[in-house]
Amino acid sequence: MFALVFGAVRTRAAQVLTILVLTVLAAAVAAAGPWYGFAAVGKAADAYLEAAPANQRTVTVTNRIDTRGDPAGSLTRFAARVRAGLPKGSGDGVGGLSASINVPTGPASTTIDLAYRDEFCERVRLDGACPAAAGEVAVSHDAARRLGVTTGGVMTVLTADSVVPLKLTVVGLYARADPTGTYWSSRLFRSATGPDPMFTVTATFEHRHLSSPTVAYDVVLPNELLRGDGGFDLGAALVASDRVLAQEQLRLNSQATPLHQAIVRDRGTILDGISASGAQLLILTWFALGLAGWYTLRDRRADAALLKLRGVSRSGRLRLALGQHLVPLTAGALIGAPLGYLTAWALAGPVPVAVDRQTALVWSAAAVGAVLAGGFAVLATVEATVLGRPVSALLQRAGSGRGTWRPALVDVVLLAIAAAALYQVRSAGPADGLGRSALALVALAVGLIAARLLNRAADRGGAAALRAGRLRVGLTALRISRSPGSDRLFVLVIVAVALFVTAAGGWAAESAGRTARSGA
């Protein structure tokens, strides 16, 4: 049987090559689509994260506490409570303390914040020393000018809870190394209008009049949570964390939810577009394979008649007939899948997220499998129309003219499916069910109607041309109207052109929109 199959493949080289080329193209696009989509999703998410302001990437939890003379221990315990209430995987953050003090400046006084912040000295450029002991502070250059102090100067300040003066020594002047970074996103440790906060060590807050500071813990959310890897819903997780922390009188502040929703929405748009294009590709591919199988069917009718005359069983005839298609389909999938993967890698690069990388490979394999299985099913259906016929019908060079109700029934079914897809797009949106392939189905319906009209026009026009003595035009028109499968070829061209024009129009519109956004 294998020898017969390969012998038939060699004999029908042109037919086999047609199916092979169609399968290679379809498998390449099917394999490239998911990988390209997830690579585009990753790059879009990275662009969102890079452009997002710092306060959209952080979570801040604050409260006013009584340190009871142990500010370092109170800060440590506060941080542990916050970490336990934040979404899993949030990681460690940065803690800090802040209290308002008054600095006498002539006849009036200036209110300024005295603060402690983890990793402060690593996040600034210092002229002088880093505060290391109680009462030592670092002041920004702007605040030093406003307050009239310099390095080594001593300030006498008043706390909000007492009129007893507190002496602070300026040991350094600082400038923020990354003013727009996430470290400085908390409003508690930067000033919009007044002097910048003075930074000190926790030991300074052991003073009895600084025992009730505002404590804060800031966490920079990992990109995995902001992107929503693995279907993670950051908005719901933050709401749940806020509910848990509120039971301990802790306030959670974050603007990360809009950023997360924008990334998820953009992800859905990209993947929906890829899946819709993939569904349309499958329809077009199956239709093209069925058409190729139908056009090459006439050459295989004699083979089927000969096998029947020799007494080959129905299963044997089926294996031989389907084996001729299985060889080019399998070879096309094996060639097209790696070709599509390499093309997608060259166009879009790697998929940056490990979870998406695995999903992209699974989707690519499923899409290639759908091309292979669907194409095989279509070609098997075409072969079934031959294997069930008697020998006398198989040996006829012209069609019998019977059974014209079957193509008509298929057309009616396809028109009904296209109408259902169009209704679903109008009612539920293009991302649901048949809506993903609505464009191809509507183009298919229009092509079927146009093909029927073309055949009728060619038949009547050809007859009229012959009666008028215009033999060349008349015979050409009659040839078109009476050639089996010409209407299907016309439909295929309509669908292919519709998809191409839509893709080109979408690309041009997106390019214009992107240019306009860049200009703005």
Side-chain angles (χ1 to χ4, degrees), residues 356-373:
D356 288 350
R357 195 177 307 122
Q358 298 173 0
T359 306
L361 293 175
V362 172
W363 282 24
S364 295
V368 174
V371 170
L372 185 60

Side-chain angles (χ1 to χ4, degrees), residues 193-218:
T193 57
D196 295 320
M198 297 185 295
F199 286 89
T200 183
V201 294
T202 55
T204 303
F205 288 87
E206 294 176 359
H207 191 280
R208 69 178 186 275
H209 297 304
L210 294 173
S211 61
S212 298
T214 299
V215 61
Y217 191 76
D218 302 320

Side-chain angles (χ1 to χ4, degrees), residues 45-252:
D46 289 342
Y48 272 111
L49 295 174
E50 289 176 5
N55 59 359
Q56 287 190 341
R57 302 184 58 193
T58 57
V59 173
T60 300
V61 180
T62 59
N63 195 18
R64 189 179 178 92
I65 63 173
D66 183 2
T67 64
R68 298 182 180 179
D70 183 18
S74 298
L75 181 59
T76 300
R77 290 188 292 272
F78 178 83
R81 291 162 58 198
V82 173
R83 283 195 298 268
L86 289 178
K88 186 178 180 181
S90 298
D92 294 332
V94 178
L97 303 167
S98 178
S100 294
I101 58 175
N102 295 316
V103 180
T105 53
S109 63
T110 301
T111 300
I112 189 171
D113 290 332
L114 177 65
Y116 162 79
R117 197 92 193 277
D118 293 337
E119 304 175 4
F120 167 76
C121 293
E122 291 82 5
R123 303 286 184 164
V124 295
R125 295 187 297 271
L126 277 170
D127 291 339
C130 179
E136 294 183 350
V137 296
V139 183
S140 71
H141 293 276
D142 180 66
R145 285 193 296 271
R146 291 192 183 193
L147 300 176
V149 297
T150 58
T151 303
V154 177
M155 293 185 297
T156 301
V157 302
L158 300 174
T159 67
D161 299 331
S162 174
V163 294
V164 178
L166 172 67
K167 294 186 179 297
L168 300 175
T169 303
V170 179
V171 296
L173 304 180
Y174 73 87
R176 290 179 291 214
D178 184 14
T180 60
T182 55
Y183 183 83
W184 300 104
S185 62
S186 176
R187 296 181 179 179
L188 196 62
F189 301 101
R190 58 183 174 86
S191 177
T193 57
D196 295 320
M198 297 185 295
F199 286 89
T200 183
V201 294
T202 55
T204 303
F205 288 87
E206 294 176 359
H207 191 280
R208 69 178 186 275
H209 297 304
L210 294 173
S211 61
S212 298
T214 299
V215 61
Y217 191 76
D218 302 320
V219 176
V220 179
L221 292 172
N223 290 344
E224 294 79 7
L225 301 187
L226 291 169
R227 287 193 303 256
D229 293 352
F232 180 78
D233 189 345
L234 180 61
L238 289 178
V239 169
S241 295
D242 187 32
R243 194 175 296 120
V244 171
L245 293 172
Q247 295 176 357
E248 301 188 33
Q249 287 76 47
L250 304 181
R251 292 182 299 171
L252 184 147

Side-chain angles (χ1 to χ4, degrees), residues 404 406-409 411 447-457 487-488 490-491:
T404 54
R406 292 188 179 89
L409 179 61
D411 291 352
L448 289 172
I449 296 173
R452 291 289 183 180
L453 296 176
L454 175 68
N455 272 353
R456 181 163 296 187
D487 55 344
R488 297 299 188 260
F490 183 69
V491 172

Side-chain angles (χ1 to χ4, degrees), residues 252-424:
L252 184 147
N253 297 293
S254 178
Q255 299 181 27
T257 300
L259 173 62
H260 168 75
Q261 291 175 343
I263 293 174
V264 172
R265 184 171 55 250
D266 204 50
R267 175 190 181 93
T269 301
I270 294 173
L271 294 182
D272 283 344
I274 293 294
S275 61
S277 301
Q280 295 167 10
L281 169 73
L282 282 178
I283 294 174
L284 186 62
T285 300
W286 293 339
F287 195 89
L289 287 173
L291 191 61
W294 181 263
Y295 267 111
T296 60
L297 190 61
R298 283 170 285 181
D299 295 330
R300 297 193 300 276
R301 291 167 62 181
D303 294 344
L306 183 60
L307 291 175
K308 280 193 172 186
L309 290 174
R310 292 183 176 180
V312 179
S313 65
R314 184 177 181 83
S315 61
R317 298 195 304 269
L318 186 62
R319 288 197 302 270
L320 179 60
L322 298 182
Q324 298 179 51
H325 299 309
L326 191 59
V327 171
L329 284 173
T330 305
L334 293 177
I335 296 173
L339 181 62
Y341 172 77
L342 293 176
T343 302
W345 184 285
L347 291 175
V351 177
V353 182
V355 176
D356 288 350
R357 195 177 307 122
Q358 298 173 0
T359 306
L361 293 175
V362 172
W363 282 24
S364 295
V368 174
V371 170
L372 185 60
F376 185 75
V378 169
L379 292 173
T381 303
V382 172
E383 291 296 335
T385 62
V386 176
L387 296 178
R389 295 181 181 179
V391 175
S392 58
L394 292 174
L395 293 177
Q396 291 179 358
R397 296 185 59 86
S400 62
R402 297 175 297 175
T404 54
W405 61 272
R406 292 188 179 89
L409 179 61
V410 172
D411 291 352
V412 171
V413 172
L414 291 175
L415 288 173
I417 294 175
L422 190 60
Y423 174 78
Q424 193 165 33

